[in-house]
Amino acid sequence: MARGWQGKSRGGKTGYAIFIFLIKHCGLGTAYVLLFFVSFYFIPAAPRSTVDIWHYARKVLGYGVLKSAIFIWKNYYSFGQSIIDRFAISAGLQDRFRFEFENLELMRDSVLAGDGAIVMGAHFGNWAAGEPFFKEFRAKLNLVMYDNEHADIKEVLAKNQDPDAAFKIIPVNKDNIAHIFMITEALSRGELVCFMADRYVNEEKLINGKMLGRDIRLPFGPFHIAARIHVPVIFYYAVREAHRTYSFKFVKADVPSGRRGVEDAIVEQFTVSLEHELRLHPEQWYNYYDFWNLRT
């Protein structure tokens, strides 16, 4: 699809490798300093993404011209921070950060019950920062990720990520349904299956929602699975606060009984909870395509 997301995240293999090298050999502070300048580079180097951030700031958040211009740099810097922090925490440097939790018992109880759960997040904040705590209570979490996005970084991950990482990948290919069987099998084993429920590559399977006063489209698949497989559905957000502090928030969805309108009910709860977090941390929104349908 020409105007939509193409199945790949911003940031390439070389960029990831450079920051991993700095974290290992020069420390987090040096990586953040380099990021300060790299964030300026991306403004002209990624024009389509920059335009989408500009539209998000101006038309969705309602910022003025100057504030929107500053917001572009702030958003790129925030995204870079999430990458640096992700690899630092995965490499065992979690003692460099502070962590706070809200409703962690929802996730822990689902793991201990052994019945499996569907976890829904978004390309917002830094979901992977919670890896040490998933490992702590022995959660097995399967991240459903589009194959192109996975392939772009899997080589770097393979070389640098802890082999006992809590997250495993279920790759999705647009043209087959193999991932459906992998998802079902993981849930039947009592594991967690995590969807980034804010991106799609198949325009034929969408569901409508509303967020920040805008009509949006979301992938139908995650919400359909959540509606049909009788396991708990939990929304999960990890946001970066000041002073290297991460706040982890868990919200349990109320999945109605029956077969009609269940997907819409879950979508509404998901968008309400995500909108709440977005209003608090708008710069931690990392959907670098025309998510809001604002291009003219």
Side-chain angles (χ1 to χ4, degrees):
M1 56 187 186
R3 293 172 57 132
W5 183 57
Q6 301 301 303
K8 293 186 179 181
S9 291
R10 171 61 56 195
K13 183 174 66 176
T14 301
Y16 287 127
I18 290 173
F19 280 110
I20 290 172
F21 175 86
L22 289 175
I23 292 167
K24 287 184 173 181
H25 301 283
C26 304
L28 277 171
T30 302
Y32 292 142
V33 169
L34 176 61
L35 175 63
F36 181 91
F37 299 101
V38 171
S39 301
F40 283 107
Y41 161 78
F42 269 105
I43 295 175
R48 291 180 66 84
S49 297
T50 297
V51 168
D52 289 327
I53 302 170
W54 172 262
H55 285 163
Y56 167 54
R58 292 283 286 150
K59 299 180 181 181
V60 178
L61 301 177
Y63 290 170
V65 172
L66 179 59
K67 189 173 182 179
S68 296
I70 296 172
F71 181 83
I72 293 172
W73 173 84
K74 189 175 182 180
N75 179 263
Y76 280 137
Y77 184 82
S78 177
F79 177 64
Q81 269 190 326
S82 74
I83 295 173
I84 291 171
D85 294 351
R86 177 190 309 174
F87 286 113
I89 292 170
S90 179
L93 300 179
Q94 59 263 32
D95 60 334
R96 313 292 176 87
F97 302 87
R98 294 179 62 248
F99 303 99
E100 299 174 349
F101 301 89
E102 183 177 316
N103 298 326
L104 178 62
E105 67 276 3
L106 293 176
M107 185 68 72
R108 182 183 289 115
D109 291 348
S110 292
V111 173
L112 294 178
D115 297 327
I118 291 173
V119 182
M120 287 192 178
H123 290 83
F124 164 79
N126 193 0
W127 58 267
E131 181 175 354
F133 307 101
F134 286 110
K135 290 173 64 175
E136 191 174 289
F137 50 89
R138 298 183 179 179
K140 295 182 179 179
L141 195 149
N142 301 270
L143 179 63
V144 182
M145 181 179 288
Y146 286 104
D147 196 42
N148 284 346
E149 185 175 26
H150 173 228
D152 194 41
I153 63 173
K154 65 182 178 181
E155 182 179 339
V156 176
L157 285 172
K159 292 180 179 178
N160 296 278
Q161 193 173 38
D162 186 340
D164 296 323
F167 297 99
K168 295 182 180 179
I169 303 297
I170 295 179
V172 177
N173 188 304
K174 181 179 178 181
D175 299 321
N176 66 51
I177 61 171
H179 62 282
I180 299 295
F181 298 103
M182 298 174 70
I183 289 168
T184 303
E185 289 173 1
L187 291 171
S188 69
R189 294 193 298 266
E191 299 177 2
L192 307 178
V193 173
C194 181
F195 294 95
M196 299 291 104
D198 58 335
R199 285 184 183 173
Y200 59 88
V201 294
N202 191 342
E203 290 187 321
E204 298 176 356
K205 296 181 179 180
L206 302 177
I207 190 167
N208 295 323
K210 197 174 188 69
M211 193 163 63
L212 293 177
R214 295 278 175 174
D215 293 328
I216 60 172
R217 298 182 298 173
L218 300 171
F220 179 74
F223 299 98
H224 181 66
I225 292 173
R228 296 293 175 258
I229 299 180
H230 300 295
V231 297
V233 178
I234 300 172
F235 306 141
Y236 162 53
Y237 308 106
V239 295
R240 197 184 202 274
E241 310 279 2
H243 310 298
R244 293 188 188 176
T245 298
Y246 272 96
S247 176
F248 302 100
K249 303 180 182 182
F250 303 90
V251 179
K252 188 174 183 179
D254 181 12
V255 181
S257 59
R259 297 187 63 85
R260 300 186 63 180
V262 181
E263 290 89 353
D264 291 326
I266 300 173
V267 166
E268 182 177 3
Q269 294 175 68
F270 174 70
T271 53
V272 167
S273 66
L274 179 55
E275 177 176 323
H276 175 73
E277 300 302 327
L278 268 178
R279 290 188 182 277
L280 296 174
H281 300 278
E283 77 286 350
Q284 295 188 40
W285 177 249
Y286 308 133
N287 263 325
Y288 295 115
Y289 72 102
D290 190 22
F291 176 87
W292 305 96
N293 298 308
L294 298 174
R295 292 180 188 162
T296 57

